[in-house]
Every structure is written in structure tokens, then in C-alpha cells.
Amino acid sequence: MIIATQRALTAFAILALMSKSLWAGSWTEWIEQDAPFISCVVDARNETIKNNLTPRALLLPLGQDTFLAYDVDLLRVAAVWTAKDQPLTRNNMAVNSYPYGGKKVSMGQATLPKPNGDIWFQNGIYPGASIGTPSFVDPRPAQPDKDEVGRGGLPRAMGRFVGINLKDGLEIVTEIAASTLIRERFSLGTNALVRRITVSPHRKPVGIVLAESGKTLHVECDLPGTITTTDKHLVLHIPASPSTQTLAVRFMRKGLKPTPTTVWPSTRWPQHISLPLPKENTGEALNSESIPLPKDNPYKRAVRPSAIDFFNDGRLALVTFDGDVWVANGLTPTSKTVSWNRFASGLHEPMGLKVLDDKIMVFDRNGLWRLHDDDSNGEADFHELFCSQIDQTADTREYASALEAEQDGRFIICKPGQNSKGRGSGSVLRISADGKTVTEIARGLRQPFMGLDPLSGQIALSDQQGHWVPSTPIIYVTDGAFYGHPNNTADRKRPITPPLTWIPHQACSSSSSIVWMRNSKMSALNDQAILLSYHPPKLFQIHTDIDPIVSQGGVTVLPVAIDAPILKGAINPADGLLYVAGFKIWGTKTSTMTFLSRVRPNAKKTWPVPTVARVEKRGILLSFATKLNADTASLTTSYTVRRWNYRRTSSYGSPNLNLNGQPGSETMVVSSVSLSTDAHSVFLGIPDMQEVMQLEVSYDITAKDSTPISNQTFLTAHLLRRFALTEHGFASDHVDLEANTTKTVSAPAHPTKEKGATLYTNLGCIACHSIDGSLEGKSGPSWLHLYGSTRKILGTGKSVLANDDYLRESILTPAAKVAEGAVTGEAGMPIYQGVLSEEQLDSLLLYIKSLKK
């Protein structure tokens, strides 16, 4: 008998009532009342089994306040418990921020979702099924931290999780010894929890660990199975058989009653949601059109896009951070509406999705899934865990960041290394085309996002500024490289491969994915690589200067307004346009919570962004798709160039440093400007060009048709080569490097609190510091009443007054004095030494002072 998981679930009903007071909007609780399963971390560590932590658990609601956690890695029942309230404490990222709470959870593994009630029975960290006599030792290779239980799936020859069958109720399918399939269904019967087991033909006996017998537990089973107590564990033994065997194990518990058999309809989510598409926006050279999401849906689910991709016919597949997959039809050139249908649910904080051979592949914290719609009704009925060999710890920051598909059928994923110490943390990994093996490509990353050039196969990454990462890097990956963020002691001795380019923190404080405009209709952006920025919400064109000797380049901000938290993007083969999506969780000033947009170029408008930007021994080359106005483009005063270095340390971020190592940046002399014969390029002659980590080139010129071109390009110079300007369209190779000694005296700058308020937003201070006294979703103290308050310094027992000197030091070198309090993470604030001018610093102080009592 298959027991219902849809109706009359007391704990879920209570959650629904709680949600009305906790959350605004029309969404119900994160855990759905009719969900057959939910994926999450389950922390059942207790005095009985001190290490019973499951990084990859399927939570099965069995009814009557009874919940079961199944370990996808070790093929074991991790725990069964009863809960009168919500089944788990609210300590995982998705549920804690649902639906737009913006709440953080603690880093690490100290505070994780725990069973919110009494554990009935459980198992330790060992395989739950095997051929022959079970072993109660974890057979997986140890992590660098030998106590870490997040070690990925079992060695494939021993066993693997095959998938979740949703036909006729929920069935868990596993495989042991690479040949024996085990199918299991869990339900409630009369005074018992029933575990029904079907085993395919097997030449040797099968052993299934039922429970640790620390408590009195009465268990019965059908023949031909027998139950023994082995090393204080209850073990089910199933003899060898040339035919399929089916039996039931009953865990006896008074008071349990059979619940109605689940009869799910062939289509669980029959209602499609049709919404009008916006009119084409062609007002500027690059435009954004908001595509409506099914936010108001009959399933009361928040729709927070964490990855998107397209089918060949133009249908869109979208996965949400909350574990749902939606499919959209109608994103074609002539369509007036978009129709959404829900395709799958239950995934574990997924952030990667690709469509391959018309199958949706999803990368979540469980591993890499392939979703099957075997009856072609528009919904997944079998979740195949295509690859579970990826290590995954329970660390709250070890996201499943990104997924890409190579042309030969292999997959590329990347995972953070900000806090976790797992083998695959902070790495780029390749999954074989059959899903059986995982190999490391490169490592040394903090919080990476990714892109893959479908033509060349080049892997590109962005990373997040923080400890050991001084500013935002763009990385073109090479095999075997180490990119600077150590995940263990040995990493600190490895040589660091520099990135393609750095981007100043104030220009891009939180980068995200990279998308190539291959096979697109994106006008001047065709075939170019684009960086997506979460905060501030921007798109950047990536410039490359790569040869066998050096990999360097830069970025330029693209002229498109998207006031939304951008995470992922993809090209639609039906219209050739770029689609971008994302959701707000924290760390961005945008007011938009969740979005999907289409980016449309207008080829009739002048393209104001350089197509080429390169450093040279004598200066900087900028090339444009449009002709330039010689009157403005030839003036040295139309350009400002600054340079500075960064320093990699264990501190959060880096100051801007002059070439002599002192804080600050240097404004460079532009001695001459050469205009190419076709008027599409300029070469800025700059005396004393040197290799440097960051160049900022600002220009305020006009095109031939008088269109303003006012922008900034950020470059990195690892190596300064000399090339012939005549080969780049210039009449002469001569560059005038005689510096003009005439100095321009600028008016003195005056700090104001209004400028400080602008900096509060533009620098990203808004992401971590409120101005209304609230702390929710913030990692630093509120600025309201901060000035003049008393701050107790962490680890010293001393208190200081938050006066000008203290606040100035806290902005320039945040780790110098970290204050105690309810909020954490002040030591994680970026260093602004050498970044802010005195006028900017004083303006910030004036603004903070204006918020005092």
C-alpha cells in the first residue's frame, strides 16, 4: 500500500498558518503540503550518533507528523522522527530566505536544519545497503578534514543512488555492486512504518542496515528476509535469488494508522499560466524587456530564477533556488504571450541548468540530475541522479554554482571554496559523458560563477572579492591552474595563475555568470563574451588579448539599464537574443526581487562601446564599431587614465596600491592621441607604461554622428608588448610620448552628506548596513545612531567610541577593530584604503553623522 503524502499533513498545515504572519505576498510555506519529497540538509547529530549529518537528504513526509530522511550518498535511512510543528528548524539557505526574506544563515556547519521533534530511529555514517554482510565503516576517501562526513557518493562499484520514480507514488531506486537494483517505498500502516523493498535478481545475499539499536525497536519482516542484530545494528538479510524478490519491513509503533493510498493524477500541475509579453523596446543601442514570470501561480510558489537555458525550439527551462523547474513556451519573434508550466519540484538549492538532447539537466547540492518526462505530459516523472560522485559538504555556502555542457557530452561544474574544506570546493570539475567520473580542471576559487564558449570550449569564470581575492577577477581557465584562494595548507604553496583581468570592487562588487553571444542576433555583441554583474546590476563586454605567452584583457560596461539582480543568462535560438534572470537574496541595492528579461539591440543606433581594448608598451588601444568625431576623440583632455595594484592577503579585499606599494592610485599622463585612418580607433600615448594589475580608462568623446561616448574601460597589463600601429589601421607607428607639463588646476572638492548618501548606494554599503536600524539580511551594524555609540571590540574586552577616528579606520581597514554584537561579518567588509579620496571619505562620515540621535 502506498500511503498519502498529499492531504491532511498536520505539520505542513501548521506551517501554512505560520506563513501568513511571517511572509508577505501570496506564497505558501517553502515545504509544500503535496510535495512527495523535498531535498535539504538534515542534521541529526545527537548523543546517540554524534556524526549523523546528511548533506544530501531526501525528506519524505509520511503523514501523521512522521518524517523520514534518506541519505542519497550512503543509501541509508538517516533518521525517522515525529514533529508536531515544522519538520526541520529553519537553517538552510532557501527556506530561511523564502520568499524574499533576504535572510542569511550562518556560514559553516554549526547551525543546520535539525529534526524538529523526537527521533524514533536512525543510522550512522556507513552504507545502508550492500552485497553480503554490511560494513559499519565509511568506505569513501576522507576529506582533508578527516571528520568531514560530506564525501560524495559511494564508490560506484559499491553502490549508487539511481533516482526517484514518481509514477504511482514515490519510489527510491538504488543500485549496489553495479548490477543489483533495489526499489523502495515508505508508507504508514497499522501501528507500523512500512518499508517495502524490491530487489532484482542477485547472485549473492543482500544486506540492508535498518537501524542502530540504541533504543528498543521492534522490527518485523516478510520472508525470505531475516533480521539479525550485528554490532548493535538491526540488519535485514535477503538471500541470493535468480528472480526478483519483494518483501516488507515493519517498524512497529503504536498509534500509527494507515492513511489513504496516494493516487497522483497523471498531471500534478495541470494549470498553465499565460501572460502577455511586452512590446519590443528599441529606444537605445541596447534595451531590456521584462518577461513576466508566473509569480501568481495556483501552487503558491515563489519563482526565484537561479539558472535558465533553451530548448532548440525556443522553449525556456528555468530552475528556481527553491527547487522547482518551470518551462515557458512562446518566447519566439511573433508570439504575444508566454505560457508557463511547472515541470519538476523537490530539488536542493539548484543553481545550474542545461538542456541537452531535449532533456533538462540540473545541478543542485545533491549532484547532477537528468529529468525525464517518460509519458510526455510536460512534467518530470523520473529524477535520475546522473552523477553523485561530486563531493558535497553541508556547509551553507557550498552552492551548486554553475553547470555547462561541452559539445562532446561532458559537463563542467564549479563549486565555492569560501568556507568549505571539501575536495571539490573552490574547484572547476569535469563530469564524464556517462556520469561515472569527476576530475578536477582547476582550483583556488572563492565563490565562482562560470561560462563556456560553445565554439572554442574555453571555460571562463568570475569570482567574488573577499579573503585572498583582492578584487573581482575574470578568469579564462587553463588546466591544472591554481587561482589564489587556498582551500588547504598545501594550496598556499602553489604558484598562482593570474586572471585575464581585474575589475575594481566599486565597479563590480558581485559578479556572476559569463555568456558568449555565439549564434546570436546581438548586433555589435555577436560572438562576444559578456559578464553578468549581480551588484551593481550591469552587463560588461569582455575584451581579450590572449596568445601563447600571456592571457590578459579587460571589460567595459554595456549601455543597458536592468534594475534587477542578474545571475544567469542564455541565448534563445528562436530569436537570437540574450535572456537574463536572477533573484534578490542579499547584497544588492536593487528593489526588484525576482526577474527575467530579454536584451534587445538596435543596430540603427550608434554602438558606444569599444570592440577592442588592449594595452601596449607605449599606451592603450581602443577600437569602436562606429566612426569617431576627430574634434573630441583627438583631444588628450577627453581621456583620464589611472592605475593601481592590489595585494592578496587573508584580509577581506585589498587597498588600492601605487606601484611603490603605498595606498592610493596614480593618474597617468596622456601625452598624445592618434586617430586611425578609418576614424574607428584611437591610441592613447602614455609615458611610463608599466605592468600593473588595474588600469582605469575614462573617456568622454563623441561619435561621427555626435552620439556621446562616455564610459570606462578596465584593463589589466600582465605583459606590455609593442605592436605596429600601422597593422591596426593607423597611418604611422609613431607615438608622441613627450608629456605635456601644463597642469590643469581643478576646483577643490567639498564633502557633503548628500555625496555620502550617493556613495552609500554606489559603493554597495547598502548591502550590509541599513539606515533604519534593521539588522535582518545585513552582515554589518546599522548606520542609524551608529555615530557616537559605544562599540565593544571583539576579543579585547575594551570599548571605543564610534567617533570620526574609529569610523575612518573602520572604513579604510575594517579588520583593525571588529565590534561585538548580534551581527557578524564586519571583518568581511572590503578594504577602502587607497580607494576613497579624502572628499569621499569625509562625505561618508558626514552622512553617517546625519543618522545619529
Side-chain angles (χ1 to χ4, degrees), residues 480-491:
F482 173 68
Y483 290 107
H485 189 276
N487 201 32
N488 53 53
T489 304
D491 278 347

PDB file of all heavy atoms in Angstrom, residues 480-491:
ATOM      1  N   GLY A 480      44.829  22.600 -14.730  1.00  0.00           N
ATOM      2  CA  GLY A 480      45.813  22.464 -13.670  1.00  0.00           C
ATOM      3  C   GLY A 480      46.160  23.739 -12.947  1.00  0.00           C
ATOM      4  O   GLY A 480      47.010  23.727 -12.054  1.00  0.00           O
ATOM      5  N   ALA A 481      45.502  24.845 -13.289  1.00  0.00           N
ATOM      6  CA  ALA A 481      45.865  26.130 -12.695  1.00  0.00           C
ATOM      7  C   ALA A 481      45.304  26.265 -11.289  1.00  0.00           C
ATOM      8  O   ALA A 481      44.304  25.657 -10.920  1.00  0.00           O
ATOM      9  CB  ALA A 481      45.356  27.271 -13.573  1.00  0.00           C
ATOM     10  N   PHE A 482      45.983  27.112 -10.503  1.00  0.00           N
ATOM     11  CA  PHE A 482      45.529  27.495  -9.163  1.00  0.00           C
ATOM     12  C   PHE A 482      45.334  28.999  -9.162  1.00  0.00           C
ATOM     13  O   PHE A 482      46.224  29.758  -9.558  1.00  0.00           O
ATOM     14  CB  PHE A 482      46.559  27.090  -8.104  1.00  0.00           C
ATOM     15  CG  PHE A 482      46.250  27.595  -6.723  1.00  0.00           C
ATOM     16  CD1 PHE A 482      45.162  27.111  -6.018  1.00  0.00           C
ATOM     17  CD2 PHE A 482      47.027  28.587  -6.132  1.00  0.00           C
ATOM     18  CE1 PHE A 482      44.857  27.580  -4.750  1.00  0.00           C
ATOM     19  CE2 PHE A 482      46.740  29.062  -4.872  1.00  0.00           C
ATOM     20  CZ  PHE A 482      45.650  28.559  -4.176  1.00  0.00           C
ATOM     21  N   TYR A 483      44.142  29.453  -8.704  1.00  0.00           N
ATOM     22  CA  TYR A 483      43.779  30.859  -8.867  1.00  0.00           C
ATOM     23  C   TYR A 483      43.767  31.666  -7.578  1.00  0.00           C
ATOM     24  O   TYR A 483      43.176  32.740  -7.538  1.00  0.00           O
ATOM     25  CB  TYR A 483      42.448  30.950  -9.610  1.00  0.00           C
ATOM     26  CG  TYR A 483      42.602  30.531 -11.060  1.00  0.00           C
ATOM     27  CD1 TYR A 483      42.106  29.313 -11.508  1.00  0.00           C
ATOM     28  CD2 TYR A 483      43.303  31.320 -11.953  1.00  0.00           C
ATOM     29  CE1 TYR A 483      42.281  28.908 -12.824  1.00  0.00           C
ATOM     30  CE2 TYR A 483      43.481  30.934 -13.269  1.00  0.00           C
ATOM     31  CZ  TYR A 483      42.974  29.724 -13.697  1.00  0.00           C
ATOM     32  OH  TYR A 483      43.159  29.334 -15.004  1.00  0.00           O
ATOM     33  N   GLY A 484      44.401  31.179  -6.535  1.00  0.00           N
ATOM     34  CA  GLY A 484      44.749  32.064  -5.431  1.00  0.00           C
ATOM     35  C   GLY A 484      44.005  31.895  -4.132  1.00  0.00           C
ATOM     36  O   GLY A 484      44.484  32.362  -3.098  1.00  0.00           O
ATOM     37  N   HIS A 485      42.814  31.285  -4.126  1.00  0.00           N
ATOM     38  CA  HIS A 485      42.094  31.119  -2.864  1.00  0.00           C
ATOM     39  C   HIS A 485      42.422  29.746  -2.295  1.00  0.00           C
ATOM     40  O   HIS A 485      41.999  28.720  -2.830  1.00  0.00           O
ATOM     41  CB  HIS A 485      40.586  31.253  -3.064  1.00  0.00           C
ATOM     42  CG  HIS A 485      39.820  31.302  -1.767  1.00  0.00           C
ATOM     43  ND1 HIS A 485      39.442  30.166  -1.083  1.00  0.00           N
ATOM     44  CD2 HIS A 485      39.393  32.344  -1.011  1.00  0.00           C
ATOM     45  CE1 HIS A 485      38.803  30.515   0.026  1.00  0.00           C
ATOM     46  NE2 HIS A 485      38.758  31.823   0.093  1.00  0.00           N
ATOM     47  N   PRO A 486      43.188  29.680  -1.182  1.00  0.00           N
ATOM     48  CA  PRO A 486      43.630  28.373  -0.669  1.00  0.00           C
ATOM     49  C   PRO A 486      42.504  27.629   0.023  1.00  0.00           C
ATOM     50  O   PRO A 486      41.771  28.189   0.825  1.00  0.00           O
ATOM     51  CB  PRO A 486      44.739  28.747   0.311  1.00  0.00           C
ATOM     52  CG  PRO A 486      44.386  30.133   0.776  1.00  0.00           C
ATOM     53  CD  PRO A 486      43.710  30.800  -0.385  1.00  0.00           C
ATOM     54  N   ASN A 487      42.390  26.349  -0.292  1.00  0.00           N
ATOM     55  CA  ASN A 487      41.404  25.506   0.356  1.00  0.00           C
ATOM     56  C   ASN A 487      42.051  24.600   1.394  1.00  0.00           C
ATOM     57  O   ASN A 487      41.354  23.941   2.154  1.00  0.00           O
ATOM     58  CB  ASN A 487      40.664  24.661  -0.682  1.00  0.00           C
ATOM     59  CG  ASN A 487      39.326  24.166  -0.177  1.00  0.00           C
ATOM     60  OD1 ASN A 487      38.679  24.840   0.612  1.00  0.00           O
ATOM     61  ND2 ASN A 487      38.922  22.988  -0.606  1.00  0.00           N
ATOM     62  N   ASN A 488      43.366  24.548   1.392  1.00  0.00           N
ATOM     63  CA  ASN A 488      44.110  23.783   2.386  1.00  0.00           C
ATOM     64  C   ASN A 488      45.522  24.335   2.467  1.00  0.00           C
ATOM     65  O   ASN A 488      45.905  25.231   1.698  1.00  0.00           O
ATOM     66  CB  ASN A 488      44.118  22.279   2.045  1.00  0.00           C
ATOM     67  CG  ASN A 488      44.596  22.027   0.627  1.00  0.00           C
ATOM     68  OD1 ASN A 488      45.662  22.489   0.243  1.00  0.00           O
ATOM     69  ND2 ASN A 488      43.809  21.298  -0.152  1.00  0.00           N
ATOM     70  N   THR A 489      46.297  23.834   3.404  1.00  0.00           N
ATOM     71  CA  THR A 489      47.656  24.346   3.626  1.00  0.00           C
ATOM     72  C   THR A 489      48.526  24.168   2.394  1.00  0.00           C
ATOM     73  O   THR A 489      49.323  25.061   2.040  1.00  0.00           O
ATOM     74  CB  THR A 489      48.301  23.633   4.828  1.00  0.00           C
ATOM     75  OG1 THR A 489      47.454  23.808   5.966  1.00  0.00           O
ATOM     76  CG2 THR A 489      49.671  24.199   5.123  1.00  0.00           C
ATOM     77  N   ALA A 490      48.378  23.049   1.702  1.00  0.00           N
ATOM     78  CA  ALA A 490      49.204  22.788   0.523  1.00  0.00           C
ATOM     79  C   ALA A 490      48.951  23.812  -0.577  1.00  0.00           C
ATOM     80  O   ALA A 490      49.866  24.173  -1.333  1.00  0.00           O
ATOM     81  CB  ALA A 490      48.943  21.373   0.010  1.00  0.00           C
ATOM     82  N   ASP A 491      47.703  24.301  -0.676  1.00  0.00           N
ATOM     83  CA  ASP A 491      47.381  25.285  -1.711  1.00  0.00           C
ATOM     84  C   ASP A 491      48.205  26.559  -1.565  1.00  0.00           C
ATOM     85  O   ASP A 491      48.513  27.224  -2.553  1.00  0.00           O
ATOM     86  CB  ASP A 491      45.893  25.636  -1.647  1.00  0.00           C
ATOM     87  CG  ASP A 491      45.020  24.618  -2.366  1.00  0.00           C
ATOM     88  OD1 ASP A 491      45.573  23.789  -3.103  1.00  0.00           O
ATOM     89  OD2 ASP A 491      43.795  24.653  -2.177  1.00  0.00           O
TER      90      ASP A 491
END
